[in-house]
Amino acid sequence: MDDGGGKGETMQYRTVIRCAELAAIAGVLWLTACDRPHAPAPETSRAPGPTRTYTIGMSQCNLGEPWRVQMNADIRAAAARHPELRVIFKDAQNDTLRQRAHVEEFINARVDLLIISPKEAAPLTEPVARAMEAGIPVIVLDRAVLGDRYTCFIGADNVKIGRAAGEWIKRRLGGKGRVVELKGLMTSIPGQDRHRGFREAIAGTDIEVVFEADMKWLEPEARKEMESALARFPRIDLVYAHNDPGAHGAYLAARAAGREKEMLFVGIDALPHEGVAYVRQGILDATFEYPTGGAEAIETALRILRGETVPKQIVLGSRVYDRSNVDRGGDPLP
Ligand code: FRU
């Protein structure tokens, strides 16, 4: 037995083991380095993986006016750019009870997100809150609900639009005249706000509102109310209607009475194929843009569904179109 030789062999053997250990440790370290989360994975190893799809319920209060048809079209077009989204539309046909039922149906169907453009504020407040309690985020679009139990409100500033209309009217009438105000549904917030802004702007002038009525956003109602105003007042200088269908209804009533040239007509919405076209045709004297917010609603929905925090309120801008600026695309409200 060669102790020395045997010892040498053992040493050699140990050295081999030590080398193998070091190599193993180095290998582990190298692998660990490759596994670090921020190390980019090679392109080929990134499997496409199944994408989650989301169902959005869209509760529209009615589709009777071109503006609401446009809102749905804007939502549909924006959603079509995101294959992971599926939007189910329901039309309440201007019936608050039906719209409440639609919200309940969306809750029971466990949609991933609800968009609602409510007919009226108070009666839709509770159903919206119930959706939130059921864990369904809610985007309220254009007409607000009461309180703050929703995820995000998107719409233009109706007080500002009403005030801008009042300022425009004050300038055109030289601070003096007899005006008819045809109001939008006064149980909806845009109607209340467009009224308030307008009254603030004309306060302290010699502009007198000789006749006011709630035409509920509807052209036939506006026409009927305007017939009453025409029958009662031999001189009217201007009609301020809270939307373009209302202003158009008033124009038709005045034209039927042969009096359309005696007064100016101002509306709100400014759809290219409705209010703006009326200004070009000389039917309306001015219209103020009320954007539908459809595209913004889809962008916001996506952010919510991805878990991002969104602002409680998204305020959209507006423009004024009148005979002086319609050909160059109107002017933004300051
Ligand atoms: C359509 C409409 C628009 C108006 C908006 C207010 O239903 O009446 O004309 O600007 O609703 O919510």
Side-chain angles (χ1 to χ4, degrees), residues 18-252:
R18 176 59 41 86
C19 284
E21 274 173 8
L22 286 174
I25 290 168
V28 167
L29 283 176
W30 182 79
L31 281 177
T32 322
C34 288
D35 264 4
R36 278 203 312 256
H38 63 263
E43 249 342 287
T44 47
S45 72
R46 247 188 249 150
T51 5
R52 189 159 169 211
T53 57
Y54 297 100
T55 303
I56 297 177
M58 165 60 195
S59 169
Q60 180 59 272
C61 61
N62 83 83
L63 283 175
E65 293 118 310
W67 189 85
R68 295 210 171 265
V69 174
Q70 188 61 48
M71 183 199 274
N72 276 18
D74 291 346
I75 290 175
R76 198 171 279 118
R81 289 193 286 275
H82 302 280
E84 71 273 32
L85 296 183
R86 190 167 76 104
V87 185
I88 300 173
F89 292 86
K90 286 184 195 277
D91 167 19
Q93 296 167 26
N94 227 7
D95 177 343
T96 292
L97 288 181
R98 187 175 289 142
Q99 190 165 30
R100 284 169 62 107
H102 284 169
V103 174
E104 295 297 338
E105 284 162 25
F106 280 137
I107 296 173
N108 293 338
R110 310 206 65 63
V111 291
D112 296 298
L113 184 139
L114 174 69
I115 302 176
I116 179 169
S117 194
K119 177 178 176 191
E120 291 172 288
L124 271 313
T125 296
E126 274 312 311
V128 163
R130 271 201 296 282
M132 293 287 286
E133 280 155 23
I136 300 171
V138 184
I139 296 176
V140 180
L141 196 50
D142 135 61
R143 296 188 190 170
V145 291
L146 306 178
D148 62 357
R149 288 175 300 165
Y150 54 85
T151 310
C152 174
F153 172 78
I154 304 177
D157 181 341
N158 283 297
V159 178
K160 182 173 169 179
I161 293 174
R163 206 180 287 130
E167 294 294 341
W168 189 96
I169 289 166
K170 211 157 74 176
R171 273 197 311 277
R172 273 307 296 271
L173 296 183
K176 186 170 177 302
R178 310 178 108 214
V179 169
V180 167
E181 182 181 6
L182 296 175
K183 299 183 284 192
L185 186 69
M186 290 305 274
T187 47
S188 72
I189 309 293
Q192 297 166 13
D193 287 354
R194 291 175 193 184
H195 171 71
R196 183 151 65 87
F198 168 64
R199 293 304 177 107
E200 272 172 29
I202 62 163
T205 67
D206 287 328
I207 293 173
E208 191 193 347
V209 179
V210 292
F211 182 95
E212 61 183 296
D214 188 337
M215 50 79 178
K216 307 185 182 76
W217 304 116
L218 303 173
E219 176 160 339
E221 288 283 331
R223 186 172 177 162
K224 209 175 70 200
E225 295 295 350
M226 188 63 189
E227 281 164 7
S228 308
L230 288 161
R232 280 177 55 191
F233 297 97
R235 208 196 91 213
I236 295 167
D237 299 309
L238 185 143
V239 179
Y240 164 54
H242 288 190
N243 66 358
D244 290 336
H248 189 244
Y251 170 85
L252 292 180

